[in-house]
Amino acid sequence: MQDLVGPALGTLAAVAVGGYLLGSIPFGVLITRTAGAGDVRNIGSGNIGATNVLRTGRKDLALATLLLDAGKGAVALLIARQLFGSEVAGAIAGGAAFLGHLFPVWLGFKGGKGVATFFGLLIAAAWPLGLMAGATWLIVAFALRYSSLAALIAAAAAPLLALLPLPALGLPVEAPILVLSVFTAVLIWIRHHENIGRLVKGAEPRIGAAKRA
């Protein structure tokens, strides 16, 4: 029994390290620097995600950052799931990639807020869940015009959506994916604490506000 447990734990540890390193690649910083748009950390909110990259005025760079940040979480989860045939391994790799994005070792553990990586993870883990969470974001964003509020509500809704009794869509999800959805949702709320403060005060900028001004 000891021989069986040891390698399993060692494998999961390796999966976690690999997922973290993949997730910690700061695509927003690399893309803006390579394109000559400066260091995104010195622009706007200083965040390395796609929303702040958009403040450079380069929609193409923001889109590339969005896709790559979403993709690194998805790739980490899918590779681990395929290699080990395990939802546990996939969830650990995906969760580690999410942590890597939020706290990248290369940037002094100061990373993004994880929204794109969150959606990438959900789509890879259970695409119906990812699409429903994405639809939730779109509905709130279009209705209330707050990107941060849309992300917070979509993140909070994801674990609830994961429990829907819809077998035809692969729901409810397996326990490791449910835990992953809760884990990432909690971290998204923590990382958005400044946005939450501004929302409470009515000071959070709405989508398109700067453009209209």
Side-chain angles (χ1 to χ4, degrees), residues 56-94:
T56 65
R58 294 284 301 273
K59 294 181 179 179
D60 55 337
L61 301 184
L63 178 60
T65 302
L66 176 69
L67 295 176
L68 288 169
D69 281 348
K72 64 187 181 183
V75 167
L77 186 149
L78 291 173
I79 288 178
R81 175 193 278 170
Q82 182 65 29
L83 285 178
F84 303 104
S86 166
E87 288 290 4
V88 173
I92 288 175

Side-chain angles (χ1 to χ4, degrees), residues 88-129:
V88 173
I92 288 175
F98 189 77
L99 282 175
H101 177 74
L102 267 56
F103 309 107
V105 63
W106 324 112
L107 302 180
F109 302 103
K110 297 178 181 179
K113 295 182 179 178
V115 178
T117 308
F118 168 75
F119 284 119
L121 281 173
L122 290 189
I123 290 174
W127 64 265
L129 174 60

